């Protein structure tokens, strides 16, 4: 009996539990629905990544992949009818939009003639499906450390094998893979291949290379010592369970680096879990205590300053390097994400969703759970929030985490002539601003005080 495998963020062959379920029922038709809602909300780097991943999946799936455009609640039942499928298999999608969409599709399938068709969910894009890890009293966790402990105790299954009796249903008409326009538009950017093969290659390089020193080097954007797998995790060209199983089997499994890496994966799982329990936190403050913070713009300069932040011309080199890395690579190192986010919220006093939206439009790994909660961590309104009174000093952060200034010089050509760590304070160097690098848009010390004043007022 034919089944449909409706693909979403699981664009791979290996370790694919929903594919294994589908294959157990008979020939499998892999379907990707180019949903206009999702296409409209994805920035060009993300759409280009999707285009890459789907294009590479075609030959991997023996050219059986079918792409159709339209609303999933119309397209999926139509394809089921067209091929006479008796089941539809998916990897469960825990985001608010995904859950609403899947509920609509499940209803439409149930209403098909005869007995209807069930939307069968297996696994999720996480090691532990969001919503599963609960406190003893049945309540969800709100703080990372106890969540991560319980998450590890809960454990996860071993990776699923490629089904031995896998048969694809070929010869069904397909439309073009979405995102070709976006891929052309970002042709000038320095983007990695987002395919299952590229994910596995990058992963094995990292596993046998930087993993061992990850604990020491992960905060150093100049070294590029992190896995850079986030875009692969976003589209499921690799599954986190594969990563966790490989780490556990690696000779360095007990190293601090390995432990730290697992802990970072746990942050991703934690934020997905928080979003599952609190769908409203996608775009609103999770903790309302500080939501009365003032974002008024008395001198009318906020729009211009926001533009300076977006374009990487705030006059603070570590911040500007980060925003220019975003435009060049669709990715920013985690340490720098924290610094640029803090600068926008606490130095420029712009409400975090503006920054979060900008990130979602430009990041290749833009992910609603990690992004919105990452921003709220910085703003002090999420779970586990950094204390609201911690305001990153963009110069001190640069000096500490880019000690030789290599990261800044890599992305800010106007400062290429400034040697060493002095690049973090070009205004102290005689010809520091001689090649077009701008003056600072604000005085960090003044704005830090202003941020604290606004936070205190909101708390009162
Ligand atoms: P590694 O250091 O190699 O970590 C391995 C994996 O662990 C990552 O790929 C990621 O899946 C997960 N991870 C690591 N750090 C975090 C973290 N702090 N929170 C959640 N998961 C983490 N991550 C996204 O995937 N998408 C986003 O849209 C996103 N937006 C962010 C916005 C802000 C303001 C901040 C502070 C962080 C954001 N992050 C986001 C988290 C983090 O910055 C990226 O996951 C990380 O930089 C990706 O690089 P990597 O794959 O080399 O990470």
């Amino acid at each position: 009996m034919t089944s449909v495998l409706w693909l979403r963020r699981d664009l791979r062959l290996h370790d694919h539990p929903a594919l294994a379920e589908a294959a157990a029922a008979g020939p499998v038709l892999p379907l990707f629905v180019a949903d206009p809602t999702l296409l409209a909300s994805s920035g060009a780097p993300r759409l280009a990544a999707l285009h890459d991943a789907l294009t590479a999946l075609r030959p991997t799936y023996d050219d059986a992949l079918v792409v159709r455009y339209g609303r999933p609640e119309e397209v999926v039942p139509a394809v089921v009818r067209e091929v006479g499928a008796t089941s539809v298999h998916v990897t469960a999608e825990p985001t608010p939009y995904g859950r609403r969409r899947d509920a609509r599709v499940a209803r439409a399938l149930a209403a098909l003639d005869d007995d209807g068709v069930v939307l069968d969910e297996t696994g999720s894009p996480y090691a532990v499906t969001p919503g599963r890890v609960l406190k003893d009293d049945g309540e969800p966790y709100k703080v990372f450390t106890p969540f991560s402990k319980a998450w590890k105790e809960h454990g996860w299954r071993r990776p699923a094998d490629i089904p031995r009796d896998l048969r694809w249903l070929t010869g069904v008409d397909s439309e073009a893979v979405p995102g070709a326009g976006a891929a052309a538009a970002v042709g000038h950017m320095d983007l990695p291949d987002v395919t299952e093969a590229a994910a596995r290659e990058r992963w094995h390089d990292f596993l046998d290379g930087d993993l061992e020193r990850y604990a020491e080097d992960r905060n150093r954007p100049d070294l590029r010592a992190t896995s850079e797998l986030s875009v692969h995790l976003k589209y499921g060209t690799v599954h986190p369970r594969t990563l966790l199983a490989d780490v556990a089997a690696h000779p360095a499994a007990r190293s601090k680096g390995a432990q730290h890496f697992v802990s970072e994966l746990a942050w991703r799982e934690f934020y997905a879990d928080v979003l599952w329990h609190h769908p409203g936190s996608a775009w609103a403050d999770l903790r309302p205590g500080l939501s009365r913070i003032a974002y008024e713009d008395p001198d009318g300069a906020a729009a211009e300053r926001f533009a300076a932040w977006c374009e990487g011309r705030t006059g603070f080199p570590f911040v500007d390097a980060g925003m220019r890395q975003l435009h060049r690579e669709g990715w920013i190192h985690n340490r720098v994400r924290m610094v640029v986010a803090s600068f926008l919220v606490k130095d420029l006093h712009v409400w975090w969703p503006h920054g979060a939206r900008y990130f979602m439009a430009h990041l290749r790994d833009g992910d609603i759970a990690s992004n919105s909660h990452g921003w709220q961590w910085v703003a002090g309104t999420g779970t586990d929030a950094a204390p609201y009174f911690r305001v990153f000093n963009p110069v001190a952060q640069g000096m500490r985490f880019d000690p030789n200034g290599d990261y800044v010089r890599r992305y800010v050509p106007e400062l290429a002539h400034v040697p060493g760590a002095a690049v973090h304070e070009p205004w102290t160097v005689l010809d520091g601003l001689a090649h077009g690098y701008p003056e600072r848009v604000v005085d960090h010390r003044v704005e830090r005080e202003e941020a604290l004043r606004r936070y205190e007022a909101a708390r009162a």
Side-chain angles (χ1 to χ4, degrees):
M1 308 251 247
T2 298
S3 58
V4 169
L5 174 67
W6 173 23
L7 298 158
R8 292 91 68 88
R9 290 200 290 153
D10 47 359
L11 307 181
R12 64 181 179 278
L13 178 65
H14 293 84
D15 191 6
H16 200 315
L19 169 60
E21 282 294 313
V28 179
L29 179 80
L31 168 70
F32 184 84
V33 182
D35 173 351
T37 305
L38 287 183
L39 296 187
S41 66
S42 303
R46 234 170 342 131
L47 273 182
L50 176 66
H51 181 263
D52 249 23
L54 287 171
T55 304
L57 204 57
R58 273 225 157 113
T60 309
Y61 282 4
D62 288 349
D63 291 328
L65 178 68
V66 167
V67 174
R68 294 282 169 88
Y69 287 66
R71 292 160 59 88
E73 58 271 35
E74 289 159 12
V75 175
V76 178
V79 171
V80 163
R81 266 216 200 94
E82 186 180 327
V83 300
T86 52
S87 56
V88 175
H89 294 268
V90 289
T91 302
E93 180 51 70
T95 61
Y97 175 76
R99 285 162 74 181
R100 287 196 304 273
R101 173 200 60 198
D102 290 355
R104 286 197 301 271
V105 172
R107 278 197 300 274
L109 287 172
L112 282 177
D113 2 282
D114 306 330
D115 294 336
V117 168
V118 172
L119 184 68
D120 197 341
E121 297 185 332
T122 310
S124 75
Y126 299 90
V128 180
T129 298
R132 291 260 170 88
V133 178
L134 294 167
K135 293 199 259 183
D136 289 345
D137 62 5
E139 288 293 309
Y141 284 94
K142 290 201 177 124
V143 177
F144 172 71
T145 307
F147 169 87
S148 100
K149 193 163 166 274
W151 172 79
K152 279 182 200 146
E153 278 165 14
H154 179 284
W156 35 85
R157 294 191 181 177
R158 63 172 206 82
D161 295 326
I162 299 174
R164 250 186 295 161
D165 43 2
L166 177 59
R167 273 181 302 142
W168 298 112
L169 182 72
T170 53
V172 179
D173 285 347
S174 174
E175 293 178 74
V177 161
V186 298
H188 63 286
M189 288 177 73
D190 192 0
L191 296 170
D193 287 347
V194 185
T195 66
E196 185 171 13
R200 292 169 78 81
E201 192 184 329
R202 173 67 200 135
W203 169 233
H204 287 284
D205 280 354
F206 176 76
L207 190 61
D208 297 330
D210 289 326
L211 176 68
E212 214 163 337
R213 287 199 47 80
Y214 181 76
E216 292 82 15
D217 293 344
R218 56 181 280 274
N219 272 311
R220 291 278 303 273
D222 53 331
L223 300 180
R224 295 207 84 139
T226 65
S227 72
E228 296 189 24
L229 283 171
S230 48
V231 67
H232 294 291
L233 289 164
K234 163 76 195 173
Y235 280 116
T237 43
V238 70
H239 193 276
R241 228 166 37 173
T242 306
L243 308 184
L244 289 162
D246 288 350
V247 169
H250 197 268
R254 291 182 172 279
S255 66
K256 264 168 61 187
Q259 304 292 319
H260 228 101
F261 185 75
V262 170
S263 168
E264 292 308 312
L265 289 176
W267 273 105
R268 176 176 179 271
E269 307 255 331
F270 176 56
Y271 283 152
D273 189 77
V274 171
L275 187 61
W276 197 87
H277 289 289
H278 309 276
S281 69
W283 291 108
D285 293 319
L286 182 70
R287 286 190 314 156
L290 289 171
S291 26
R292 285 172 43 219
I293 190 157
Y295 288 100
E296 78 267 16
D297 179 19
D299 57 1
E304 167 48 27
R305 287 181 187 157
F306 180 62
W309 178 83
C310 294
E311 291 161 22
R313 48 176 183 81
T314 66
F316 288 88
F318 202 49
V319 172
D320 293 341
M323 296 309 288
R324 296 189 198 191
Q325 180 175 29
L326 176 64
H327 294 135
R328 196 191 290 180
E329 299 172 14
W331 184 85
I332 315 181
H333 186 279
N334 181 58
R335 168 61 46 182
V336 191
R337 288 188 205 207
M338 292 195 279
V339 173
V340 301
S342 174
F343 189 80
L344 185 70
V345 173
K346 292 179 177 168
D347 285 74
L348 303 187
H349 317 294
V350 173
W351 196 35
W352 68 264
H354 292 290
R357 272 204 193 89
Y358 194 78
F359 265 29
M360 287 303 278
H362 294 273
L363 279 172
R364 67 188 191 222
D365 63 17
D367 171 82
I368 192 76
S370 294
N371 189 51
S372 290
H373 294 121
W375 275 91
Q376 292 192 57
W377 184 90
V378 171
T381 65
T383 60
D384 255 297
Y388 71 89
F389 47 81
R390 187 210 274 172
V391 180
F392 283 120
N393 178 324
V395 175
Q397 288 283 312
M399 295 276 189
R400 181 162 169 211
F401 295 111
D402 178 30
N404 305 316
D406 296 335
Y407 174 73
V408 165
R409 277 186 299 277
R410 195 180 302 148
Y411 296 101
V412 185
E414 309 97 286
L415 294 176
H417 64 293
V418 183
V423 78
H424 293 294
E425 296 177 291
W427 50 88
T428 64
V429 179
L430 199 58
D431 64 347
L433 305 184
H435 296 283
Y437 189 67
E439 300 274 359
R440 286 163 286 178
V441 290
V442 291
D443 179 332
H444 171 67
R445 267 188 314 175
V446 172
E447 301 310 332
R448 177 178 182 281
E449 292 307 315
E450 175 62 13
L452 295 180
R453 187 192 66 71
R454 294 187 189 201
Y455 273 92
E456 287 299 345
R459 273 160 55 86

